Amino acid sequence: MLSRVIVGRPVGLACQILPLRQYHLKSRSLRPQGSPLKICKGVRRKTTEAGDDKSGHINAGPNEGILFLDNVFPLKLRWLLRLPFLNVDKSVPELLKRLNSPRIGAADPLSIIQKALPKDLPIKVTEVLPRLKEGGAFVKFSHEPHVNAKEIEGTLQNYLKKNPIKPWFNPWRRVRTFLVKGRPWVEDLYRFPSSRLRVEFLPIEPGGEAAELSQETLYSIFRRYGKLADIIAQPVDSKVTPKFAFLNFRLVRHAIMAKNCMHGFVLPGSEGGGKAGTVIRLMYEQKMKGHWIRDWIVNHPRITIPLIAAVLATVTAAAFDPIRTFFIKAHVTHSFHITDNKYYKWLMSQVTRANDLLSFKRRKADDAGLSVIWDERKDDIEQIQAWLMETADTFVVIQGPRGSGKKELVIDQALKHRRNTLVVDCKPIQEARGDSATIGATANQVGYKPVFSFINNISSLVDLAAQGTIGTKTGFSETLDTQLDKIFQNTATALKQIALADRTKEDKDADIGDDEYLEAHPERRPVVVIDNFLHKSNESSTVYDKISQWAAGLTTGNVAHVIFLTNDVSFTKSLSKALPDRVFRQITLGDCSPEVAKRYVIHQLEAEASDDPADGDDKPPTASFSSSSSSRPPATDGTLAELDDCIETLGGRLTELEFLARRIKAGQTPAAAVREIIDQSASEILKLYLLDLDHGGGGGSSSPRSWTAAQAWDLIRALARSAAASVPYHALLLSSPFATAGETALRALEQAELITILSANGRPHAVRPGKPVYHAAFRSLVADAVLSARLDLAVLAEGKRVDERVIGDAEEEMVLLARLGHVPQGLEARVRCLVERVRDAQERVEGGEREGGRLKALLRKEGGVDT
């Protein structure tokens, strides 16, 4: 530890060494304790960190000088000056002193200063002023009049060269010292050293003139303090005053030494300072501004904003993509589904045995009824399972109307024992409003988590604002296509990892690649079921195009089997875009046969009756539907006959059969239940296809209709009058409502599920109702006289417009022929044809007007009764 401080004595005497405990460091000054005058005459009493009397300067009188020693403090401790709670002037030197070690020669500031001043130096140290942020200290001394301060400087510099002092915090550079020539400014501002100095040239007196020093003069003055990297003069056209120049030193400590030794130096005129001399003022000039990174980012948005977007995208992909892939795998393998847990299954089995829960009974009844359906469709189930075991690309399409049991057939039967299945329901995705909702719905279907769909809206606003500001897009926002591609790409990665999860090095084909392995083992591939494909496809096809392309990639890459479930009969148009060179495996589901439909309803009723507890003998008896076999008729012949008639009316659509069974269970007779189903279907047809013209097409679509009410009614009327519930396709096109865009209207009505178009030999052959119950609903609508009269008027009006158009075209042609003056030879037949065409059309118009008058009279009569 440092134990002494040097206080100089008069010239010719040795320096007096006193114990350290008699001195203290206060306000950056080292002074003796007690009365300094008793220790040594001439020692100053008080000097603060802001100089003498807080003036910011150190004054040197006659026979006094000031030395500046560098490398006394480490420069890296400058950041401590920014701490408001730390008294750096006291704490840091004390800390450095405590770090002293006998093994380190120069450890603390006092030791460094003591060793830098030899004992035989003819000076008397009167004050030491440390400069922590500049890494040095001012040493003020006095000397005899006959001693030159420059000689003291030279002697001290030679001593330090021969006896270098290298502190522990900077062992590669020695302590240097120079005589202070100017008037140093010892400010305590938050200004920190830099290797660049700003040299300003000031006059000696206010109002005087100062000389602008040349680069040669500046070099000769400042080169002694350290190597100069460059000298930059003030631009010639600059009008900034006072005049200035920049000095770039190679090291910061060189600039510190030059600033502390030459600040306030007066350069006489004989040395280039002008007539009256020039005062040199030095200040640190920061090469880099404090917020240069922030300013550069703000001033270059075209570069920084896309760069930030790229960095964020990279970080997001690196951090979240593995997490998302993990959640997708868990969603496909049902890792977090409690219903698939073996302990949960055991618990529920015990609960089922102990309690008669109604929900479990209904499930039993449903299973009993559906087993009849699956017996009929056993071949379809086996065909799907056989396709899933083939090594070729498995692209299966199950098409059928609503309520035909497509999803149950595939998921509950064909994929019953498949472990890894992913079901993607397109309905919530297509019905989502807005890009964020669509992204969220898609991510939810595949288990893509976490998803920040709301950020897309924020990014779009930022991108829009940046485009208005800098004129170009920043790239922050991503389109819906990009987001969907990212979700489906992660899903494909997860599916491939699942397919390869059971592969080990001990397999016989362990040496083949992953693609060859998946092609050779189709049983390992997961199954992707895309439900409600092309639901409301007339609104937007973006989602379906992405799903089709994704599914095509899964099948061609042998990553997974894909099964599409759709109600749309025109699915080939959409899927052919993704796989134009492939043939789809297709199964078309229709309605059940009457016998199977009857057995299904009977099984539903039998299961319900067997689950009903006997509450006592006073309970009224219910009709029994039990039979000794699944094909035997029920016990009551009247009920059986009534049920047969109901099944014939409803057909084999599962949704209607389930509704019938529920209504019978509720206490209704089969006839009343069927009447209710017919009424509901008639109301649905009236709203979706005939009257609700302002709210889009059938099926709840909000897009404009591709048919007119007259076309729909003419079709309904023709099917209602047909005993076989079938109308020839081309016969419809000959009617007046379908004279214009008839085939387009029929395809749109088929898309809306009002009708079904049957094909024969590859061409449209006949038109049938979209559901079997629709035939009875059509008859119910036609039987309504008021509704029929209203809609027949629309059909007559459409026919009248067609006939009047025919008459108008014929009359125009006849006017052209009349301008010839006489009918040329060979055109008589054309004239007769035009006349007959006009006559026939006119007869139809007149007949329609008579029929319209009768219908209007009927409507007026009905209105009078209502009033």
Side-chain angles (χ1 to χ4, degrees):
M1 296 292 292
L2 181 64
S3 59
R4 298 171 180 236
V5 172
I6 303 172
V7 177
R9 298 184 61 189
V11 179
L13 299 177
C15 292
Q16 181 181 2
I17 308 300
L18 298 178
L20 177 63
R21 61 180 179 271
Q22 298 183 14
Y23 295 84
H24 68 282
L25 179 64
K26 182 177 182 181
S27 299
R28 294 191 181 178
S29 301
L30 288 169
R31 335 184 161 71
Q33 292 183 354
S35 176
L37 296 178
K38 294 181 180 179
I39 300 174
C40 184
K41 270 189 174 182
V43 179
R44 299 182 60 86
R45 280 182 172 270
K46 184 177 182 182
T47 299
T48 66
E49 60 183 359
D52 298 340
D53 298 328
K54 296 185 178 180
S55 63
H57 295 92
I58 304 177
N59 298 316
N63 300 324
E64 288 185 338
I66 303 173
L67 292 171
F68 184 79
L69 281 74
D70 72 346
N71 214 12
V72 176
F73 296 98
L75 286 177
K76 299 299 182 181
L77 294 179
R78 289 176 294 174
W79 59 273
L80 291 173
L81 297 176
R82 299 182 182 272
L83 301 178
F85 54 85
L86 183 63
N87 189 346
V88 182
D89 300 320
K90 295 182 179 181
S91 302
V92 175
E94 184 67 22
L95 176 62
L96 293 174
K97 181 180 69 176
R98 292 183 179 181
L99 289 175
N100 188 21
S101 173
R103 298 180 181 179
I104 303 177
D108 65 87
L110 298 181
S111 175
I112 293 172
I113 296 173
Q114 178 183 354
K115 292 184 178 182
L117 300 176
K119 297 180 180 181
D120 56 350
L121 193 66
I123 63 172
K124 179 173 64 177
V125 177
T126 59
E127 187 177 359
V128 176
L129 183 65
R131 296 290 292 169
L132 176 63
K133 68 179 181 181
E134 294 178 317
F138 287 100
V139 177
K140 188 175 181 180
F141 63 91
S142 62
H143 57 85
E144 293 296 331
H146 64 276
V147 177
N148 191 348
K150 290 186 177 180
E151 295 178 358
I152 297 175
E153 179 188 23
T155 301
L156 187 57
Q157 289 177 350
N158 292 330
Y159 173 78
L160 292 177
K161 287 181 180 179
K162 295 178 181 179
N163 304 283
I165 301 173
K166 298 180 180 180
W168 63 270
F169 51 81
N170 192 5
W172 308 110
R173 293 196 175 275
R174 61 182 178 86
V175 176
R176 298 192 311 156
T177 183
F178 284 92
L179 184 66
V180 177
K181 295 183 178 181
R183 190 185 181 197
W185 184 23
V186 288
E187 39 78 21
D188 55 354
L189 304 174
Y190 285 135
R191 296 181 180 178
F192 299 97
S194 172
S195 61
R196 170 178 285 193
L197 291 179
R198 178 187 175 99
V199 185
E200 295 182 350
F201 314 115
L202 304 176
I204 296 178
E205 296 180 356
E209 294 184 359
E212 184 177 358
L213 304 184
S214 64
Q215 294 188 16
E216 292 84 352
T217 304
L218 292 174
Y219 182 86
S220 63
I221 295 173
F222 291 99
R223 177 61 181 86
R224 63 193 305 264
Y225 299 107
K227 182 173 177 57
L228 285 166
D230 193 10
I231 300 175
I232 303 173
Q234 183 178 4
V236 179
D237 56 348
S238 175
K239 298 182 180 180
V240 178
T241 57
K243 297 297 183 178
F244 64 91
F246 290 112
L247 300 176
N248 292 334
F249 285 88
R250 191 173 64 88
L251 298 178
V252 177
R253 289 191 179 273
H254 296 169
I256 293 173
M257 182 66 76
K259 188 255 185 188
N260 287 314
C261 293
M262 295 300 296
H263 180 83
F265 175 69
V266 178
L267 184 66
S270 60
E271 297 181 9
K275 295 181 180 180
T278 301
V279 178
I280 297 176
R281 184 169 66 186
L282 299 172
M283 292 181 295
Y284 296 118
E285 182 77 13
Q286 297 294 332
K287 286 187 175 181
M288 295 184 180
K289 297 181 180 179
H291 304 289
W292 69 273
I293 297 178
R294 182 193 66 188
D295 295 339
W296 191 88
I297 291 175
V298 172
N299 294 330
H300 299 80
R302 295 189 179 186
I303 300 175
T304 57
I305 294 180
L307 183 61
I308 292 173
V311 171
L312 289 177
T314 304
V315 172
T316 302
F320 290 107
D321 279 2
I323 300 175
R324 290 163 175 163
T325 303
F326 168 78
F327 279 109
I328 294 173
K329 291 169 62 178
H331 180 77
V332 176
T333 58
H334 310 287
S335 300
F336 298 147
H337 292 197
I338 190 173
T339 54
D340 296 331
N341 187 278
K342 60 180 181 179
Y343 300 106
Y344 177 82
K345 292 180 179 179
W346 177 84
L347 178 62
M348 294 309 296
S349 64
Q350 300 301 317
V351 173
T352 304
R353 294 177 182 178
N355 302 282
D356 288 329
L357 297 178
L358 185 59
S359 59
F360 290 95
K361 297 176 185 177
R362 290 181 177 174
R363 181 63 181 172
K364 180 180 177 181
D366 295 339
D367 294 341
L370 290 174
S371 61
V372 180
I373 307 297
W374 307 142
D375 290 342
E376 184 187 24
R377 297 178 175 176
K378 184 178 180 180
D379 294 339
D380 295 334
I381 297 172
E382 293 177 350
Q383 181 63 71
I384 296 174
Q385 293 174 343
W387 282 338
L388 296 180
M389 296 303 297
E390 294 181 0
T391 58
D393 301 342
T394 309
F395 207 80
V396 182
V397 181
I398 310 298
Q399 190 275 328
R402 298 179 190 271
S404 56
K406 300 182 294 297
K407 187 174 182 180
E408 292 79 5
L409 174 72
V410 173
I411 297 177
D412 297 339
Q413 298 301 315
L415 303 179
K416 181 187 300 184
H417 303 294
R418 277 277 180 172
R419 184 175 59 178
N420 301 321
T421 57
L422 173 62
V423 180
V424 179
D425 192 354
C426 299
K427 184 175 181 180
I429 300 176
Q430 184 68 5
E431 292 180 350
R433 291 295 175 259
D435 291 351
S436 297
T438 303
I439 294 169
T442 306
N444 185 52
Q445 289 298 315
V446 299
Y448 183 87
K449 300 175 184 178
V451 57
F452 309 108
S453 56
F454 66 92
I455 295 182
N456 195 47
N457 292 335
I458 300 175
S459 301
S460 299
L461 295 177
V462 173
D463 205 358
L464 183 62
Q467 185 177 6
T469 304
I470 64 178
T472 58
K473 290 187 177 181
T474 61
F476 265 124
S477 62
E478 295 181 339
T479 61
L480 177 62
D481 293 353
T482 306
Q483 295 277 9
L484 293 179
D485 287 339
K486 191 179 299 183
I487 293 174
F488 290 137
Q489 183 179 1
N490 275 29
T491 306
T493 302
L495 292 173
K496 188 171 184 178
Q497 293 179 4
I498 293 172
L500 298 172
D502 297 333
R503 188 181 186 186
T504 60
K505 296 182 180 179
E506 289 75 17
D507 294 340
K508 296 180 180 179
D509 48 5
D511 55 337
I512 65 176
D514 292 341
D515 295 338
E516 292 80 3
Y517 177 82
L518 292 176
E519 184 177 2
H521 296 274
E523 73 280 359
R524 300 291 179 87
R525 305 177 206 165
V527 180
V528 179
V529 180
I530 301 176
D531 192 16
N532 288 316
F533 185 66
L534 298 180
H535 172 74
K536 293 186 179 180
S537 59
N538 53 342
E539 294 183 5
S540 175
S541 61
T542 302
V543 173
Y544 295 120
D545 291 342
K546 289 296 178 183
I547 292 177
S548 301
Q549 295 171 6
W550 173 59
L554 294 179
T555 54
T556 55
N558 295 316
V559 175
H561 306 287
V562 181
I563 301 177
F564 285 90
L565 308 180
T566 180
N567 308 323
D568 200 321
V569 295
S570 59
F571 63 88
T572 54
K573 296 180 181 179
S574 178
L575 295 180
S576 297
K577 297 179 182 178
L579 288 174
D581 56 343
R582 303 298 172 92
V583 178
F584 309 130
R585 278 85 180 274
Q586 178 182 352
I587 293 178
T588 302
L589 298 182
D591 298 326
C592 302
S593 62
E595 180 63 23
V596 173
K598 182 176 67 174
R599 290 169 54 193
Y600 173 77
V601 176
I602 292 175
H603 275 74
Q604 290 281 334
L605 298 175
E606 286 179 347
E608 182 70 17
S610 63
D611 288 335
D612 286 338
D615 295 335
D617 296 337
D618 55 346
K619 182 178 179 181
T622 57
S624 174
F625 288 89
S626 60
S627 58
S628 58
S629 66
S630 60
S631 60
R632 280 187 62 182
T636 306
D637 294 338
T639 305
L640 177 60
E642 187 178 1
L643 186 59
D644 288 339
D645 295 338
C646 294
I647 295 298
E648 184 179 356
T649 302
L650 293 181
R653 191 66 54 88
L654 291 181
T655 51
E656 278 75 21
L657 296 176
E658 290 177 0
F659 185 81
L660 173 63
R662 286 197 299 269
R663 300 314 301 169
I664 294 176
K665 294 174 186 177
Q668 282 187 334
T669 61
V674 170
R675 185 70 256 170
E676 184 176 351
I677 295 175
I678 294 174
D679 292 341
Q680 289 182 358
S681 300
S683 300
E684 177 185 346
I685 295 169
L686 190 63
K687 176 183 178 182
L688 299 180
Y689 305 100
L690 296 175
L691 300 181
D692 199 12
L693 293 175
D694 296 333
H695 294 82
S701 174
S702 60
S703 60
R705 289 176 172 174
S706 299
W707 69 87
T708 63
Q711 290 174 329
W713 177 249
D714 185 65
L715 182 58
I716 289 172
R717 189 174 55 183
L719 289 172
R721 293 172 180 173
S722 173
S726 177
V727 177
Y729 180 84
H730 292 88
L732 284 173
L733 297 178
L734 298 177
S735 61
S736 298
F738 291 95
T740 303
E743 289 197 82
T744 302
L746 289 175
R747 291 297 178 183
L749 288 171
E750 183 189 27
Q751 185 79 14
E753 300 183 3
L754 178 67
I755 59 173
T756 299
I757 299 178
L758 304 179
S759 299
N761 299 325
R763 64 174 179 82
H765 169 64
V767 176
R768 296 181 62 87
K771 295 180 181 180
V773 72
Y774 275 2
H775 188 227
F778 291 165
R779 290 181 175 180
S780 176
L781 292 174
V782 172
D784 189 339
V786 176
L787 179 63
S788 296
R790 175 184 170 183
L791 295 174
D792 285 345
L793 283 175
V795 174
L796 291 175
E798 183 67 26
K800 183 179 180 181
R801 282 194 294 270
V802 174
D803 291 333
E804 288 179 346
R805 192 182 307 116
V806 172
I807 294 174
D809 294 341
E811 289 177 345
E812 290 179 1
E813 188 173 352
M814 292 173 67
V815 169
L816 293 176
L817 293 175
R819 291 177 181 177
L820 299 177
H822 64 282
V823 179
Q825 187 177 3
L827 293 180
E828 295 87 353
R830 180 60 180 170
V831 173
R832 288 194 300 271
C833 178
L834 292 175
V835 172
E836 292 177 357
R837 185 180 298 176
V838 171
R839 182 179 64 249
D840 294 341
Q842 182 61 30
E843 289 178 355
R844 289 195 298 270
V845 170
E846 293 176 355
E849 289 180 349
R850 289 191 296 271
E851 180 66 17
R854 184 185 68 81
L855 296 175
K856 291 178 181 178
L858 177 62
L859 292 175
R860 284 193 292 269
K861 179 180 178 182
E862 185 69 21
V865 173
D866 292 340
T867 57

